[in-house]
Amino acid sequence: MTEVTQSPPDSANEPSGYDPAVVEKKWQTQWEERGTNHTDLDGGARPFYALMMFPYPSAEGLHVGNLFAFTGNDIYGRFQRLQGHTVFEPIGFDAFGIHSENYALKVGINPAELIPRNIANFRRQLKSAGLMIDWRHELSTTDPAYYKWTQWIFLELYKRKLAYRGRAAVNWCPKDKTVLANEQVIAGACERCGTKVEQRFLEQWFFRITEYAERLLANLDWIDWSESTTTAQRNWIGRSDGAEIVFRVQDLLEMAGAATVGLNVMATTAELNALATDIKVFTTRPDTIFGAMYLVLAPEHPLVDALTTDEQRAEVGAYRATAAKQDLVTRKVSKEKTGVFTGAYAINPATGHPIPIWIADYVLMEYGTGAIMAVPGHDERDFEFAKVFGLPIVRVVAPRTAHAAHVDSQNRDEHPPLEEPYLDTENAHLVHSRQFNGFSVEDAKHAIVAWLAEHGHAKRIVNYRLHDWCVSRQRYWGPPIPIIYCDKCGHVPVPESDLPVELPNVDDFRPDDSGISPLARVESWYRVPCPQCGAPARRETDVSDTFLDSAWYFLRYPSSDLPDRPFDSRMTKKWLPVNSYIGGNEHAVLHLLYSRFVTMVLHDAGHLEFEEPYAKFRAHGMIIREGAKMSKSRGNVVNPDEYIERWGADSFRTYLMFLGPYEEGGDFRDQSIAGVRRFLDRLWASTQDARRKGEPEEAVMRKLHQTIRKVSDDIPRLQYNTAIAAMMEYMNVLRAKERTPHVDEVRSLVQLVSPFAPHIAEELWERLGGRGSIFDAGWPTFDPTLAAEELVTIAVQVNGKLRGTVRLAPDMGQEDAVTAALADPGIAKFVLGPPKKVVYKPGRILSLSV
RNA sequence: GCGGGAGUGGCGGAACUGGCAGACGCGCUGGACUUAGGAUCCAGUGCCCGAAAGGGCUUCGGGGUUCAAAUCCCCGCUUCCGCACCA
């Protein structure tokens, strides 16, 4: 439990009489009874869809980070409503997945039982926070009526040949005999039993997201998203322009015998021939081909067996075995270069010289072709490797200097041996590269690929870092993948009429040593007839990735009750794409990329008219606590319940928005909430005290209109902290000493506060005689003439130093301004003669140089 | 290593397009009201010199551009986040 150090004011002695507990309860009830937060999806004009990333309903309850995100979205949504939009602000629960399953395993209760409890708790907490949610459209990804359509989406991808079976590495615990997620691997060992984890290859389902890489990348140029997020996506997609270069293996005939024996049984003869002849490498530096001194293949490269000579076979085998034993996490961490020579040679197509073929785990099978040409002179990793194994290092790129341009670049002495790889490509030219000597790196890339292409040795190619999306999970708590395996028909999709494939409610959902997925033990469930031929067949026993559940939930909200289709086309046309999406940057890549991909596929399949799901996305910042990151182990996690109880939801919300710039986050400090609470106390008091007699004061009204302008400008830009500061500033004017505010001075302030502190705003609105909900009363308009100042204060600088200020009309001319400034003795004493130079910006500054 | 941010009082943070640095809030100091104050109200609060008037200094450090720089340019330092042997 977190200790809340500061107590709220004791309401008995509270002069303003503001009791948030009473006010908030009252209005939450009223909203529910009157349906204030219900959205007229059918008839509402000017639809505005304000989406927040739905939470995973953990047993700990709502995290303050969730509330930070939701409140920011709620303010935005309420503001849009006050501007005359019909706003839809739905919520749901992302309740499938490894988190729930692991927690269920820990406490020994089936997740199907736990999740509804957690959701009930979340619902209570969300309601206590005063969010403008239309609860009639709540959804949970674990509801069969929802995941029926998650499965339907899988089949849509399958139909379009975008879902396929492939082998992929997983973390495997040999003791528990189970697959582990990356986060369950701690320092290379199973988090449950401490056994060293191995990598294993399993047949899994993949989505061909790489086919969409170019579109996913291109659209980033026009969607209105936080730049940090689009940058993260660009990096993740990782487009590289380069070339595929073919190296012919030497003494091919001799090796053919070895190939047939050694190669994987999966390979057909045709594949074998193609593979055994050539090694394809991907490079972004085809210009350095004359410096390619050796080839390196990934240890699991399918050609390795075929290439390896008898003398090297034992060593190669041992190296591959070690590499395979390494888990996926530690393999990426270890940096020292290791490797083994296969005994084989390939021909460098540029030089015609034979170069050795090595295997090493610094080459990854997953990227490019799983093989590289090593250019130790111009690549850090290759350089390091060459140093370790004493391989030759040759320079083929050299700095372009005025001197070097005129000498014979073939002259070796001109360029001493490399102490480190030479990486500059800007002011450099080629050397030791025959007819390409003197070419710039850029020109050489094109020229060399074109030259090699004449003999079929190379082609330009684009490579992506993005991999296909592996959607299989060897787990219990997820939607079963809707596929059936039949001996005769192969894999057969479950007919749409048979959806959903319901997750069986089993007592024993624990992984044990019997097999891979817990569902593989439920024979009564997985044994089914083949939908095509009727022969006995078997269901897929893996479930799909949680990211698939969340990749389409925003499509379901407006059609949440639709039984026979995933979403209604009319509703979808009216409400989508989402107008505003707010969420954390932890989802900058996976969730946001996957949902874009699924949307594009559904668009191509004719189900959607748009191909980008979120017109606008803004990433909010992270909150820390008293300067430190919040974590369970530190015990410094903010529990929203406690703060809402002690300070009220309105104060808590407003404080969250005040503690820092929304898109950057900030430091949550217990002591500081008091300031926001005081502000609301004073707002309450101002309304109670307000006089109806007489006229509002002109200067105060001027400040009010300036405040309306500021708040109206700040909210759409999510600059909530400065909007609140502006309202506080106005409050200070309103309640300057000995002053009784006029109702007209207060009413608009209550409206400005309403998106931040909705309960107190409703209450005060009612007390001021407002009819109906304040959220149906519109937004105060700002009158520029009322906000304009008659006189403005202008700073006067002499030789760049501030020497005083003068009050001037905003449109006063330069001469008059100088005269007015010099009339001030405090300024005049620094100006002895006539000023040498005068810079005057009306309404801003007067700068004199003497 | 690569990519993206950020460095401003005791603290969280303001500052539009280069134009009065420190808005707003916390904390702190003094006062009023009080049996009391961890409530409320009033005043003060960047640092240094000075009794004051006044003056000097100040936005991570160092240079530069400009009448004028937290803001623009160059060099360096620190720090947070993401990706990480991606050829």
Side-chain angles (χ1 to χ4, degrees):
Chain A
M1 269 293 163
T2 309
E3 201 54 46
V4 180
T5 53
Q6 187 99 359
S7 299
D10 181 350
S11 58
N13 291 331
E14 172 49 53
S16 76
Y18 168 44
D19 184 351
V22 173
V23 173
E24 290 172 8
K25 182 97 189 59
K26 170 180 167 184
W27 286 98
Q28 281 161 21
T29 311
Q30 291 269 316
W31 291 335
E32 213 150 309
E33 284 171 0
R34 296 186 194 168
T36 310
N37 298 340
H38 290 179
T39 308
D40 179 4
L41 290 179
D42 245 321
R46 301 180 67 202
F48 190 95
Y49 192 164
L51 182 68
M52 39 201 173
M53 286 185 176
F54 66 165
Y56 146 68
S58 71
E60 291 83 23
L62 201 57
H63 187 268
V64 65
N66 293 134
L67 220 43
F68 183 69
F70 299 162
T71 304
N73 182 60
D74 194 53
I75 289 163
Y76 198 81
R78 287 182 185 273
F79 178 70
Q80 294 299 331
R81 173 168 174 168
L82 287 161
Q83 303 272 342
H85 288 96
T86 303
V87 175
F88 184 39
E89 195 179 310
I91 192 84
F93 299 98
D94 190 17
F96 265 140
I98 189 122
H99 270 99
S100 313
E101 189 172 323
N102 284 348
Y103 183 76
L105 285 167
K106 200 169 121 193
V107 298
I109 303 175
N110 194 299
E113 218 177 296
L114 280 174
I115 287 297
R117 280 193 230 167
N118 293 352
I119 288 179
N121 186 39
F122 265 66
R123 210 181 279 130
R124 174 190 65 74
Q125 291 187 295
L126 289 166
K127 286 184 177 176
S128 77
L131 300 165
M132 198 175 70
I133 292 169
D134 186 346
W135 285 96
R136 298 173 305 171
H137 294 274
E138 178 191 340
L139 59 81
S140 166
T141 55
T142 57
D143 182 348
Y146 180 88
Y147 69 72
K148 170 178 182 176
W149 303 110
T150 307
Q151 291 169 337
W152 173 82
I153 286 172
F154 183 100
L155 295 178
E156 282 295 302
L157 277 116
Y158 180 86
K159 255 196 259 175
R160 303 181 65 79
K161 307 220 177 326
L162 291 167
Y164 68 94
R165 294 279 278 169
R167 288 169 76 78
V170 292
N171 297 300
W172 178 261
C173 172
K175 180 158 173 285
D176 290 348
K177 293 193 168 51
T178 185
V179 170
L180 301 174
N182 277 344
E183 54 268 41
Q184 293 177 293
V185 181
I186 310 294
C190 172
E191 71 166 359
R192 294 169 59 205
C193 64
T195 312
K196 199 166 157 29
V197 167
E198 298 175 0
Q199 64 168 311
R200 269 212 177 182
F201 289 84
L202 297 180
E203 285 274 312
Q204 321 225 30
W205 284 99
F206 288 86
F207 285 166
R208 239 180 261 285
I209 190 171
T210 48
E211 201 158 285
Y212 282 72
E214 206 46 54
R215 244 161 108 188
L216 288 165
L217 194 62
N219 287 2
L220 292 174
D221 292 340
W222 59 264
I223 53 180
D224 176 15
W225 280 28
S226 292
E227 210 177 304
S228 57
T229 312
T230 50
T231 305
Q233 293 217 347
R234 275 194 195 95
N235 293 342
W236 187 265
I237 294 168
R239 187 195 148 107
S240 291
D241 255 304
E244 191 172 84
I245 300 181
V246 177
F247 286 72
R248 184 138 299 205
V249 177
Q250 205 185 23
D251 296 326
L252 181 66
L253 290 174
E254 272 179 43
M255 255 172 277
T260 29
V261 180
L263 260 184
N264 172 340
V265 284
M266 305 274 290
T268 65
T269 316
E271 278 170 344
L272 192 143
N273 283 337
L275 289 170
T277 5
D278 300 322
I279 294 174
K280 286 181 180 165
V281 305
F282 174 71
T283 179
T284 53
R285 295 291 307 276
D287 55 297
T288 60
I289 183 123
F290 287 89
M293 307 311 290
Y294 56 99
L295 296 186
V296 188
L297 309 193
E300 59 274 46
H301 194 287
L303 270 179
V304 174
D305 267 334
L307 294 170
T308 305
T309 58
D310 289 338
E311 305 87 76
Q312 293 300 106
R313 194 162 300 280
E315 212 184 325
V316 166
Y319 186 78
R320 297 182 90 190
T322 323
K325 273 225 170 95
Q326 268 178 4
D327 68 280
L328 301 171
V329 185
T330 47
R331 169 162 174 187
K332 291 194 171 180
V333 172
S334 69
K335 289 269 178 195
E336 334 75 86
K337 296 283 175 292
T338 58
V340 179
F341 178 45
T342 61
Y345 290 83
I347 304 298
N348 180 325
T351 62
H353 298 313
I355 56 175
I357 304 171
W358 287 65
I359 64 169
D361 67 1
Y362 82 93
V363 174
L364 308 174
M365 195 59 221
E366 310 90 78
Y367 185 78
T369 59
I372 60 153
M373 64 177 208
V375 184
H378 306 285
D379 180 281
E380 282 179 316
R381 297 149 302 178
D382 297 341
F383 183 88
E384 208 184 309
F385 189 83
K387 281 281 180 198
V388 172
F389 294 100
L391 292 157
I393 298 167
V394 168
R395 179 198 273 278
V396 292
V397 181
R400 186 194 287 282
T401 59
H403 169 68
H406 297 288
V407 297
D408 175 15
S409 49
Q410 289 282 19
N411 180 355
R412 270 176 185 275
D413 299 332
E414 195 57 39
H415 303 291
L418 287 158
E419 299 293 329
E420 53 182 25
Y422 179 74
L423 303 173
D424 185 23
T425 56
E426 291 296 314
N427 303 302
H429 66 159
L430 265 64
V431 295
H432 306 141
S433 300
R434 298 188 193 164
Q435 68 266 43
F436 301 101
N437 285 336
F439 277 54
S440 74
V441 166
E442 209 38 51
D443 291 346
K445 280 184 182 177
H446 292 91
I448 288 179
V449 174
W451 173 62
L452 290 173
E454 283 169 26
H455 309 282
H457 283 299
K459 59 178 177 197
R460 294 193 65 79
I461 199 175
V462 175
N463 224 305
Y464 300 93
R465 235 170 112 138
L466 180 71
H467 292 4
D468 279 342
W469 173 14
C470 176
V471 292
S472 297
R473 294 291 180 274
Q474 295 74 37
R475 289 266 151 186
Y476 169 67
W477 193 234
I481 291 175
I483 293 288
I484 292 168
Y485 296 97
C486 167
D487 287 342
K488 274 188 236 155
C489 311
H491 42 74
V492 179
V494 172
E496 207 179 304
S497 55
D498 290 353
L499 295 182
V501 178
E502 284 206 41
L503 183 65
N505 202 344
V506 298
D507 293 336
D508 186 11
F509 57 93
R510 286 150 198 278
D512 67 5
D513 57 3
S514 67
I516 290 162
S517 166
L519 291 178
R521 296 195 298 269
V522 191
E523 207 182 319
S524 59
W525 177 82
Y526 72 70
R527 281 206 188 283
V528 282
C530 168
Q532 253 169 42
C533 70
R538 185 174 199 282
R539 285 192 192 281
E540 166 67 65
T541 54
D542 286 353
V543 298
S544 60
D545 184 4
T546 335
F547 279 116
L548 183 58
D549 304 329
S550 56
W552 74 282
Y553 75 110
F554 54 92
L555 294 169
R556 184 65 180 172
Y557 280 138
S559 314
S560 55
D561 293 326
L562 206 61
D564 56 345
R565 277 164 299 151
F567 39 84
D568 177 77
S569 57
R570 202 172 53 86
M571 282 298 176
T572 304
K573 192 170 181 166
K574 178 168 179 181
W575 287 95
L576 285 136
V578 168
N579 298 84
S580 162
Y581 195 22
I582 289 179
N585 238 344
E586 69 273 17
H587 292 117
V589 177
L590 298 180
H591 161 62
L592 287 172
L593 195 66
Y594 292 149
S595 53
R596 293 180 61 214
F597 164 63
V598 165
T599 303
M600 280 179 194
V601 173
L602 292 176
H603 165 84
D604 292 351
H607 299 298
L608 297 175
E609 289 181 19
F610 51 91
E611 63 170 36
E612 284 293 338
Y614 319 114
K616 175 172 171 174
F617 172 77
R618 289 292 177 275
H620 67 247
M622 241 187 32
I623 343 187
I624 54 173
R625 172 90 183 275
E626 312 280 351
K629 209 172 168 172
M630 272 185 255
S631 71
K632 256 193 275 181
S633 54
R634 278 199 185 85
N636 63 347
V637 177
V638 171
N639 176 358
D641 284 346
E642 288 177 38
Y643 288 83
I644 288 175
E645 197 190 319
R646 294 195 189 198
W647 298 96
D650 284 335
S651 294
F652 190 56
R653 286 167 60 109
T654 309
Y655 175 60
L656 286 176
M657 296 301 109
F658 184 61
L659 55 70
Y662 189 65
E663 292 179 79
E664 283 163 42
D667 193 0
F668 188 101
R669 303 173 75 246
D670 280 9
Q671 277 187 327
S672 298
I673 309 176
V676 169
R677 171 59 193 269
R678 271 198 274 274
F679 168 67
L680 294 181
D681 277 330
R682 292 170 50 155
L683 180 67
W684 181 279
S686 304
T687 315
Q688 304 311 301
D689 304 344
R691 65 192 160 91
R692 284 169 191 276
K693 286 183 200 153
E695 295 294 316
E697 195 181 322
E698 204 191 312
V700 175
M701 289 306 274
R702 185 156 50 231
K703 184 71 180 173
L704 171 64
H705 278 266
Q706 290 164 355
T707 307
I708 294 172
R709 176 176 54 193
K710 174 77 173 149
V711 174
S712 309
D713 283 351
D714 280 354
I715 292 179
R717 290 185 293 176
L718 307 185
Q719 288 165 7
Y720 299 139
N721 57 333
T722 52
I724 295 164
M727 291 189 281
M728 288 173 163
E729 228 177 295
Y730 176 61
M731 175 68 78
N732 290 339
V733 171
L734 196 64
R735 291 185 68 79
K737 66 172 170 183
E738 310 290 311
R739 178 163 202 287
T740 309
H742 189 275
V743 215
D744 291 350
E745 296 164 359
V746 179
R747 191 180 291 108
S748 304
L749 178 60
V750 172
Q751 291 180 288
L752 295 182
V753 166
S754 67
F756 299 87
H759 311 86
I760 190 175
E762 287 275 30
E763 179 65 25
L764 296 179
W765 182 250
E766 188 181 73
R767 290 181 183 223
L768 288 170
R771 293 177 155 254
S773 170
I774 191 173
F775 297 103
D776 294 323
W779 187 250
T781 49
F782 137 76
D783 181 342
T785 50
L786 272 179
E789 298 279 2
E790 293 151 0
L791 291 179
V792 289
T793 307
I794 294 203
V796 181
Q797 293 181 345
V798 180
N799 287 344
K801 279 190 201 250
L802 181 71
R803 294 304 181 181
T805 59
V806 283
R807 298 274 296 166
L808 301 176
D811 53 356
M812 184 179 267
Q814 175 168 315
E815 265 179 52
D816 293 341
V818 174
T819 310
L822 293 178
D824 181 335
I827 296 168
K829 73 177 181 187
F830 291 100
V831 188
L832 299 172
K836 276 189 211 138
K837 181 168 183 180
V838 178
V839 176
Y840 175 59
K841 300 264 170 112
R844 297 200 162 203
I845 195 114
L846 176 63
S847 179
L848 306 171
S849 306
V850 294

